[in-house]
Amino acid sequence: MPSVHPDIDFKPEMPRRLDHGIGIVGAGGVVNYAHLPAYHQAGFKVVGITDMDPSRAERTARDHKIPKVYASLDEMLADAEVEIVDVAVYPWETLKIGEQAVRAGKHILCQKPLSDEYGKAVRLVDMAKEAKLKMAVNQQMRWTVVIRGTRQLLTQGWLGEPTYGTIQVHCLTNWSMWPWMYQRKRLEVLNHSIHYIDSLRFLFGEPDRVFTSGSRMPKEPTEAETRTIAVWEYDSGLRLLIDVNHGVWQDDRYATFRFEGTGGIIKGTIGLMYNYPSGRPDTLEFMSMKSLGYWFSARNDYLWIPDAFMGPMGSLMRAIEDGSEPLTSGQDNLKTLQVVFAEYRSMEQGRAVSPKEITP
Ligand SMILES: NC(=O)c1ccc[n+]([C@@H]2O[C@H](COP(=O)([O-])OP(=O)(O)OC[C@H]3O[C@@H](n4cnc5c(N)ncnc54)[C@H](O)[C@@H]3O)[C@@H](O)[C@H]2O)c1
């Protein structure tokens, strides 16, 4: 029998107080199937909601028993009960709403991507910092079984020195859930692979160079990339691969990860991507030289949607309480965006790009 057992805790850290008032901007898909079920489960206090389409705000409030529907953002910001503004709108709208919220003295949680332009994201982060307000980004993949489990196994030394990693997702994405996304020039990396980019940074640190190739399915009615292959190089010798194709119509889809190190291997599946947005539980297996000859299997029903959505909001609340920084702070997210935009530059220029090249 294996002599040593890992100690993995999949549950997110919760705030000390559950009465931080949340005001939500945007009553779209993700708020309904992810934010609100997660907040309900955590016991967070949602005070009210607003949307540019009032009927959506009304319907969401009815479905989730939210006490107030505000006619405008200004009305929400004037409500002293709202301590945190949860921004879940189109990426090019986030800056404007975030700035207004900060001016009104509110802490903010912004959906990913924080912005469609690096310079705009820097502006909002700087503004929140100057106002001494807390800001987090909804990169909840860090709280999934796959990433939280791997992070703890890495920290506990089960993998040794990381040498190689892959995330490979070949799925069929229903873009009709996000018509606004499908019509723009940048799609896959900015909206989807950004989760893997943020998570891999969290696990392994900043890549020195990235090389990315993007394409789409033949005759696909979008100008944007829906399939990407990204190779990350680290001066240490570590190599990572993110390989994503959203157009697999055949019934043979997969979403896998594998991390190799000098002392072990961690591998498994990313459950959400087998059936978005319901998903299925992640799987995580690993072997380590600490217990030669055995594969460990860590199973848990904690889901990306909705459970992991407790993570970024809980972390923001902790930061407000302690004066610390949220795990996915705005400042940290700028580094994720630097990799995102380095990948686009790489696609455009056909060369490896250092994320440090990306400046406002
Ligand atoms: N973290 C994740 O895993 C995840 C998953 C899905 C979507 N998202 C992000 O969440 C955001 C919303 O996505 P969605 O799927 O809910 O889209 P959606 O189209 O279903 O909903 C967007 C909502 O925002 C409202 N809105 C847009 N601009 C507004 C403004 N200026 N003021 C008030 N309301 C406004 C729209 O009327 C709509 O109701 C996007 O930025 C998307 O990238 C993140």
Side-chain angles (χ1 to χ4, degrees), residues 10 147 159 165 179 192 197 218 241 283 287 299:
F10 294 111
I147 301 303
L159 197 71
H192 184 81
I197 291 171
L241 169 75
T283 61
M287 57 81 66
R299 289 184 196 278

Side-chain angles (χ1 to χ4, degrees), residues 182-207:
Y182 202 63
Q183 286 152 14
R184 292 180 82 86
K185 291 210 166 63
R186 290 176 164 176
L187 179 59
E188 204 290 310
V189 173
L190 183 64
N191 293 287
H192 184 81
S193 272
I194 192 170
H195 286 299
Y196 312 134
I197 291 171
D198 183 72
S199 295
L200 291 173
R201 283 190 48 245
F202 176 55
L203 296 176
F204 302 113
E206 313 307 327

Side-chain angles (χ1 to χ4, degrees), residues 83-101:
E83 185 183 0
I84 297 167
V85 176
D86 187 357
V87 189
V89 298
Y90 312 132
W92 57 92
E93 296 286 324
T94 301
L95 172 73
K96 188 173 72 185
I97 295 168
E99 281 183 338
Q100 272 181 263

Side-chain angles (χ1 to χ4, degrees), residues 218-238:
K219 300 201 178 106
E220 212 182 348
T222 176
E223 283 182 63
E225 82 291 355
T226 56
R227 302 185 294 188
T228 58
I229 297 175
V231 175
W232 290 17
E233 288 185 356
Y234 289 75
D235 289 342
S236 66
L238 172 63

Side-chain angles (χ1 to χ4, degrees), residues 28-30 51-52 56 89 93 111-112 140 178 180 195:
V30 76
D51 192 292
M52 70 196 321
R56 288 190 177 208
V89 298
E93 296 286 324
Q111 258 299 354
K112 51 57 46 181
Q140 75 289 337
W178 307 281
W180 51 267
H195 286 299

Side-chain angles (χ1 to χ4, degrees), residues 84-135:
I84 297 167
V85 176
D86 187 357
V87 189
V89 298
Y90 312 132
W92 57 92
E93 296 286 324
T94 301
L95 172 73
K96 188 173 72 185
I97 295 168
E99 281 183 338
Q100 272 181 263
V102 168
R103 258 186 241 115
K106 312 289 185 187
H107 304 287
I108 51 177
L109 174 65
C110 299
Q111 258 299 354
K112 51 57 46 181
L114 177 53
S115 178
D116 55 345
E117 285 175 39
Y118 182 67
K120 289 200 284 188
V122 170
R123 214 167 95 192
L124 185 54
V125 170
D126 286 350
M127 201 177 156
K129 192 172 167 197
E130 272 161 39
K132 298 192 169 31
L133 291 164
K134 299 296 174 191
M135 169 178 179

Side-chain angles (χ1 to χ4, degrees), residues 14 21 34 38 46 64 76-77 91 121 157 192 205 211 225 269 295 304 310 313-314 330 333 339 342 346 359:
M14 283 289 112
V46 178
H64 298 273
M76 171 186 282
L77 297 177
H192 184 81
F211 183 84
E225 82 291 355
T269 58
W295 278 94
W304 176 324
M310 292 187 275
M313 182 58 92
N333 200 255
V339 180
S346 173
T359 53

